[in-house]
Amino acid sequence: MDYPLPLVTVDAVLLTLRAGALEIALHQRDRAPFKDAMALPGGVVHADEDDNTEASIRRVLREKTGFEPRYLEQLQVFSGPRRDPRQWSLSVSYVALVPAAELEAAGQGLRFVSVDALPPLAFDHADIVAAAVARLRGKSSYSTLPFFLLPEHFTLTELQHTYEAILQTRLEKSNFRRKMDAWGVLEATSDFVTGAQRPARLYRLKDFALFDRSVG
Amino acid sequence: MDYPLPLVTVDAVLLTLRAGALEIALHQRDRAPFKDAMALPGGVVHADEDDNTEASIRRVLREKTGFEPRYLEQLQVFSGPRRDPRQWSLSVSYVALVPAAELEAAGQGLRFVSVDALPPLAFDHADIVAAAVARLRGKSSYSTLPFFLLPEHFTLTELQHTYEAILQTRLEKSNFRRKMDAWGVLEATSDFVTGAQRPARLYRLKDFALFDRSVG
């Protein structure tokens, strides 16, 4: 017995931090199904052209938003007969963590909304967003994942606020700095931010591969 | 421009513990491609019949092995133009954790091999097995995942040996028992195992939903 092949798509949750709140970048659909609805940037896998589904989502993001994320991770498959009115479909979803300034500069036609106040989304994209936020929050207490929401150089205060926004909790300043010191992933630069406050040193992440210590 | 649709399959890594070693259950393929090679149990998604890819893998396992796993988790998508000689294909892979006795009793035509001594496998199944083992080892130090490799009732010694086999390390007995006590997930039964040793009490897992404490 032959079965029809599923429609295979890729979708990305572009997570960013703006004014201390976790936001995602959405675009407005210009065609059916769900024409005019807000949706995650995504598209159909081009078999015979894409090397794999990660290549698919990178191509789709380039074409639809002009943006290439530095941190991209496969999230989860969402599938079934009813999520797309056209046919049985499967979406391989991805999470990207993006510094807001980078996304605002490069991303075309994107609208930012807080993950806590989503508009109605096309397909089952609200479920995909919920899974992405849960993944980020789950991993952040023991990983350097939150660093990817910051520019390459950042102050310790900016880093602390990033962890706080993701973990939805206040962290004690001296304790946070002591843990970061002990972790050994930060590298001090010779640059400082100056302004109304006293100068604050800029840091950068020493090793992007470490995912094994608790900062919570 | 139209693109051919990918072939969509599901595959399962059935992990179990036999004689203190982590093993997986394989079957021998009876048709091309990779006829006669050892492979993960898997099959094609039946769109218009399966509710989603998890329903697909449960159906495939039922049909091919007669076995229904209690613990099944989505692992990762493997995809591309070369992994299946027939066409551009995508596999949604799953990990199941299964008590050996259960799998030996119910599973038809399965062969057990150590994860450290795999034969050549069909497709990219060796990569899928490696990802499954890494996921199990990564999650086991802070979760009750290893309990799913045991029968419903087990002794503390069996539990410790299970953690040791997965984490590839020896744990100190009194320290292990103290951490398990503090964790509060174990429930003592009124039954004992008797034999050459002095009687050992049987325990069971109180709450299958807890995934948040370190036992390492």
Side-chain angles (χ1 to χ4, degrees):
Chain A
M1 183 165 175
D2 272 349
Y3 293 86
L5 289 170
L7 179 68
V8 180
T9 63
V10 285
D11 293 293
V13 182
L14 301 176
L15 280 166
T16 193
L17 201 68
R18 294 170 87 233
L22 205 53
E23 298 196 347
I24 57 167
L26 298 172
H27 80 113
Q28 189 165 22
R29 287 182 59 81
D30 61 2
R31 71 186 77 170
F34 296 101
K35 186 170 184 323
D36 298 329
M38 300 305 290
L40 298 174
V44 172
V45 166
H46 290 181
D48 299 351
E49 177 186 329
D50 299 336
D51 268 349
N52 48 45
T53 54
E54 183 175 325
S56 305
I57 190 64
R58 289 190 180 277
R59 174 184 52 72
V60 164
L61 287 175
R62 225 167 25 239
E63 290 170 1
K64 290 206 172 171
T65 73
F67 181 71
E68 295 227 39
R70 200 156 46 105
Y71 182 85
L72 186 70
E73 168 179 315
Q74 199 186 106
L75 178 62
Q76 197 182 314
V77 163
F78 290 80
S79 63
R82 282 172 297 276
R83 55 183 301 282
D84 187 316
R86 289 169 291 188
Q87 70 189 89
W88 206 103
S89 77
L90 177 156
S91 167
V92 186
S93 63
Y94 287 83
V95 192
L97 301 183
V98 190
E102 220 177 280
L103 194 55
E104 285 164 4
Q108 301 144 13
L110 291 172
R111 295 233 309 250
F112 295 92
V113 298
S114 160
V115 298
D116 297 318
L118 294 181
L121 299 185
F123 306 103
D124 52 1
H125 287 187
D127 296 336
I128 300 180
V129 173
V133 172
R135 168 83 61 99
L136 172 65
R137 292 197 158 132
K139 277 192 169 183
S140 290
S141 62
Y142 62 91
S143 79
T144 54
L145 217 45
F147 287 71
F148 289 93
L149 293 170
L150 288 164
E152 197 188 340
H153 296 148
F154 47 81
T155 65
L156 291 179
T157 301
E158 287 169 337
L159 182 62
Q160 181 178 338
H161 288 167
T162 302
Y163 273 95
E164 287 176 338
I166 295 170
L167 299 174
Q168 297 178 289
T169 187
R170 300 304 302 269
L171 302 170
E172 201 277 308
K173 179 175 167 177
S174 62
N175 190 40
F176 178 79
R177 295 192 172 193
R178 195 169 38 74
K179 285 197 176 189
M180 279 292 156
D181 263 355
W183 201 0
V185 297
L186 287 180
E187 188 168 283
T189 73
S190 52
D191 297 327
F192 289 80
V193 171
T194 52
Q197 314 278 317
R198 61 177 179 170
R201 188 183 283 277
L202 286 166
Y203 289 80
R204 61 188 204 83
L205 182 57
K206 203 188 286 176
D207 181 351
F208 283 87
L210 276 168
F211 280 91
D212 54 353
R213 292 286 293 273
S214 171
V215 300
Chain B
M1 182 167 175
D2 272 348
Y3 294 87
L5 289 171
L7 180 67
V8 181
T9 62
V10 285
D11 292 294
V13 182
L14 302 176
L15 280 165
T16 192
L17 200 69
R18 293 169 89 232
L22 206 51
E23 298 195 347
I24 56 167
L26 298 172
H27 79 114
Q28 189 166 24
R29 287 182 61 80
D30 61 2
R31 71 186 77 171
F34 298 101
K35 187 171 183 323
D36 297 331
M38 300 304 291
L40 298 173
V44 172
V45 166
H46 291 181
D48 299 352
E49 176 187 328
D50 299 335
D51 269 349
N52 48 46
T53 55
E54 183 175 325
S56 304
I57 190 63
R58 288 189 181 276
R59 174 183 51 73
V60 164
L61 287 175
R62 223 166 28 236
E63 289 170 0
K64 290 207 172 169
T65 74
F67 181 71
E68 294 226 39
R70 200 156 45 105
Y71 182 85
L72 186 70
E73 168 178 315
Q74 198 186 107
L75 179 61
Q76 197 182 315
V77 164
F78 291 80
S79 63
R82 282 171 297 276
R83 54 184 302 281
D84 186 315
R86 290 169 291 188
Q87 71 187 90
W88 206 103
S89 77
L90 177 155
S91 167
V92 186
S93 63
Y94 287 83
V95 193
L97 301 183
V98 190
E102 218 176 283
L103 194 55
E104 284 163 4
Q108 301 144 14
L110 292 171
R111 295 231 310 249
F112 295 91
V113 298
S114 160
V115 298
D116 298 317
L118 293 181
L121 300 185
F123 307 102
D124 52 1
H125 286 187
D127 296 336
I128 300 179
V129 173
V133 171
R135 168 81 62 96
L136 173 64
R137 292 199 158 130
K139 278 192 168 182
S140 289
S141 63
Y142 61 91
S143 79
T144 53
L145 218 45
F147 287 71
F148 289 94
L149 294 169
L150 288 164
E152 198 188 339
H153 296 147
F154 47 81
T155 66
L156 291 179
T157 301
E158 287 169 336
L159 182 63
Q160 181 178 337
H161 289 167
T162 301
Y163 273 94
E164 287 175 338
I166 295 169
L167 299 174
Q168 297 177 291
T169 186
R170 300 302 303 268
L171 302 169
E172 202 277 309
K173 179 174 164 176
S174 61
N175 190 38
F176 179 78
R177 295 192 173 195
R178 197 170 36 75
K179 285 197 176 189
M180 279 293 157
D181 263 355
W183 201 1
V185 297
L186 287 181
E187 188 168 283
T189 73
S190 51
D191 296 327
F192 289 80
V193 171
T194 53
Q197 313 278 319
R198 62 178 179 170
R201 188 183 285 276
L202 286 165
Y203 288 80
R204 61 188 204 85
L205 182 57
K206 202 188 285 174
D207 181 350
F208 283 86
L210 274 168
F211 280 90
D212 55 353
R213 293 286 291 273
S214 171
V215 299

